[in-house]
Structure formats: structure tokens, C-alpha cells
Amino acid sequence: MVTMIRDLDVLVVGDLNPDLILRGDVVPRFGQSEQLLDSADLTVGGSGGIVAHGLARLGRRVALCAAIGTDPFAALMRERLAGAGVEVSTLVPVTDHPTGLTVVLNHEDTRTMLTLVGAIDALEPERIDDALLARARHVHATSFFLQPRLAGGLAELFARARAAGAGTSLDPNVDPAGRWDGLEKVLPLTDVLLPNRAEALALAARYGPSPAGPSAAGSPSSSPPRSSVPSPEDDLARAAHTLAGWGPLVVVKDGEDGALAADPDGRTTRRAGYPVTAIDTTGAGDSFDAAFLAARLAGRSAADCLDIACHAGALSTRGVGGVATQATAPDLAL
Ligand SMILES: Nc1ncnc2c1ncn2[C@@H]1O[C@H](COP(=O)(O)OP(=O)(O)OP(=O)(O)O)[C@@H](O)[C@H]1O
Ligand SMILES: [Mg+2]
């Protein structure tokens, strides 16, 4: 019998694509012949790609399982990730779809993303065998709603990961269709759920309290006393605790306002945003996820994990794209 060595801190399962980030005169004026750009950066994108890159930057042993095509964009992603220290032998090439692509139009302090899903939704979780799961201390899944095949098998994948002794986490990211379906079986098998503010509010409205009965959700012990006019923070804490009632520690990212964590025992932890001159917030949530997981695997407290992750998210906004200015372990005292 072969003894498996747990040689990976994190197996990331999810979306990978190049991001082409355009800045300058990017608001389309159809019918005009040509608009001029200030810059065009082609870089590692996809929530899974940016998380994996972030973990490698933090010195963690990480492999990425994501479906890509067999085209030059696939070769570019493989080269960039391997160069950063991510194990790429776990990537899944498919011949019948091109590698996914996101074109990011950055305009003033907002952005629009044009995404070709391509191979992204071809990832089948059954391809992740027990031998691979047994190598990982933790399995992190990304972009649930972009990948129907992965979504359909994620509960089973997380159950197998747990049986193999690994922790589980999920960054759902947005549902472009706005339905937010399919998480009922996944949430109870998720150790850490990492939505952003809009996603947390939408998911809490969609799922409501867990049918398994009230854990401590709804009675957050360290929440401030309720005032007569609920603040947006109260709404967010309430949504986070509703979701925590389904089982996971819920960590909600809130842009420049930082983040909060709601645990299944009803405790709330908050961290204000780190002041930073943000150049581009693409992938800040994914760099946050990477640091949160690295800190958690290092045995840090929930409050420390939140603080470290907020710091990492802020640092990642100093440059264009999701990976250019990701934090190193010394940056975060990790
Ligand atoms: N302008 C900012 N100033 C300081 N910190 C920021 C800023 N924007 C993001 N952050 C940090 O990064 C974290 C994640 O950001 P955000 O809330 O945008 O996540 P997200 O929407 O999941 O991002 P994405 O999905 O684009 O990666 C925040 O919790 C915060 O710590
Ligand atoms: Mg996100």
C-alpha cells in the first residue's frame, strides 16, 4: 500500500483565465473608429488563478485544478503560475473549448468585465481523485456560479475532502444570472465561506435560516446593541450570521471598509480596511482569500486571520491586475 504524503497546503479548485486589463478611453462609443488606451496588461486572472498565485507568493505549497484550453492563453497561464511556484500538473486541458478570458475595462474608480467562459465550466469534480485530495491539508473552491459542473458535484467533493482529512472553503463570487441556486448541500460541508458584501446579502436572502434549526445564528454575541435605524453594518452582520447558521465560518469582504467574520457560535469579528492608495481592486478578494487561508493554516486566531487578510487585500490593490502586487509572507508577518 502506498502512503500518501500531505505535500500540499491548499488544493485550489476553480476558474483560471487570463485577464486583459485595459485602462484609458475604455467606455465604448460604438460607431467610432478607434479609442486610445493608456495601458493593456495581460495577467493571471480567474478567482482560482489569483488565489493560487497568492498562496504561492505567501510561500504556501499550492496546486491549481482548473480547466483550460490548449491554446496560447493556456500556455501563458501555465508559465506564469509555474513561475510563481504553483503546481500546474493538476490543470485540466480540454480540447473542445478555448481558455476562458476576461477583458477588464477600468474606468475611474469602477470597472466592467467582459468574460468568455470557454473552458472554465468544463471542470468536472469527479476528475479530482482521492489520491489528490489526500495530498492536501485544505481544499478551496472558487466561482461556484460560473461552473455548473463543479457546482453540481461540489458537495460530494467537499465530503470526500473532509473524509481525507482536509478543510474546505468556498469563494462563491457573483452569480451573473442572479439566481444563487445550488448551495443547500454545499454550505454544511464548507468550513469557511468567503463572499463579498453583495454576495453575502444575496445569499442570505436566497437561503435564509438553516432548516437544520437555529445554531447561534441570529444572536450574534458581540454585535453592537441594535439602534432603531439598522445600519448597513447590521444588515451585513445579520446576513453573515444567517449564512453561518448553515455551518461555515462566514467571512465577508467589504472593499475599502475591510471585512467581518461571523462564526457558527454567533460571534462577530470586524476589521476596518487598511488605508491604501488603490490603483486597481481586481482580485483583491482573491488575494484576501489566499492570506486568510494561509493564516488559518498557520494556526492564527480568527481575528488575526481577518486582520492579515484585510492587509493582503489592501496591498493587492497597489498595482494593475490581481497578482502584480500580492503580499509576501514578510509583508504580513506571516
Ligand atoms: N480600496 C480599498 N482599500 C483598502 N482595502 C481594500 C480596498 N479594496 C479592497 N480592499 C481589501 O480587499 C478585500 C477584498 O475586496 P473586495 O471587497 O473588493 O472583494 P471582492 O469583491 O471579492 O473582490 P474580487 O472578487 O474582485 O477579487 C477587502 O476586504 C479589503 O480588505
Ligand atoms: Mg470576489
Side-chain angles (χ1 to χ4, degrees):
M1 187 176 145
V2 182
T3 309
M4 290 307 304
I5 299 171
R6 224 177 263 277
D7 63 344
L8 292 174
D9 293 310
V10 183
L11 173 64
V12 178
V13 178
D15 53 329
L16 167 66
N17 57 264
D19 276 350
L20 176 60
I21 300 160
L22 307 179
R23 298 156 68 84
D25 184 14
V26 296
V27 180
R29 293 190 296 279
F30 293 102
Q32 296 256 347
S33 59
E34 194 154 22
Q35 294 178 221
L36 299 184
L37 299 173
D38 295 337
S39 65
D41 292 88
L42 186 60
T43 182
V44 174
S47 184
I50 298 172
V51 172
H53 194 284
L55 282 159
R57 181 76 73 105
L58 290 169
R60 267 49 191 183
R61 304 166 305 172
V62 54
L64 175 59
C65 187
I68 51 171
T70 53
D71 43 32
F73 282 156
L76 179 73
M77 290 299 94
R78 210 179 265 281
E79 180 196 312
R80 294 276 177 92
L81 288 165
V86 176
E87 180 175 330
V88 293
S89 65
T90 43
L91 291 175
V92 179
V94 298
T95 52
D96 48 353
H97 295 288
T99 301
L101 173 70
T102 295
V103 177
V104 185
L105 305 180
N106 262 348
H107 178 62
E108 293 168 358
D109 59 356
T110 185
R111 66 182 193 258
T112 275
M113 291 174 286
L114 309 173
T115 293
L116 171 75
V117 171
I120 289 173
D121 72 357
L123 185 64
E124 291 170 344
E126 302 76 35
R127 290 194 59 138
I128 301 163
D129 62 21
D130 288 344
L132 178 56
L133 289 176
R135 290 178 54 201
R137 294 174 63 203
H138 188 91
V139 176
H140 177 72
T142 62
S143 301
F144 186 84
F145 303 104
L146 279 187
Q147 302 169 92
R149 288 188 183 83
L150 176 64
L154 192 60
E156 206 227 317
L157 181 71
F158 276 4
R160 287 196 290 128
R162 281 187 165 182
T168 59
S169 55
L170 171 66
D171 185 335
N173 284 305
V174 71
D175 180 1
R179 286 194 292 268
W180 309 96
D181 288 343
L183 276 173
E184 294 87 346
K185 291 193 176 132
V186 178
L187 290 174
L189 295 164
T190 303
D191 293 323
V192 188
L193 181 72
L194 293 142
N196 69 14
R197 165 184 277 273
E199 294 152 8
L201 293 172
L203 289 171
R206 165 68 182 77
Y207 290 96
S210 164
S215 66
S219 56
S221 62
S222 68
S223 282
R226 214 176 265 182
S227 63
S228 52
V229 182
S231 71
E233 287 72 29
D234 294 335
D235 290 347
L236 196 59
R238 243 192 307 279
H241 280 286
T242 297
L243 294 169
W246 288 76
L249 169 69
V250 177
V251 180
V252 185
K253 295 161 278 186
D254 197 10
E256 64 186 332
D257 292 331
L260 71 80
D263 74 21
D265 296 325
R267 283 181 294 260
T268 312
T269 311
R270 297 170 199 268
R271 181 64 178 87
Y274 272 76
V276 69
T277 305
I279 303 284
D280 177 10
T281 61
T282 304
D286 306 315
S287 296
F288 176 108
D289 296 351
F292 190 93
L293 296 178
R296 185 174 159 94
L297 287 167
R300 299 294 183 90
S301 68
D304 272 5
C305 292
L306 203 61
D307 186 41
I308 287 166
C310 277
H311 193 183
L315 292 180
S316 81
T317 69
R318 295 169 301 169
V320 175
V323 302
T325 57
Q326 280 180 319
T328 62
D331 287 337
L332 304 177
L334 190 60

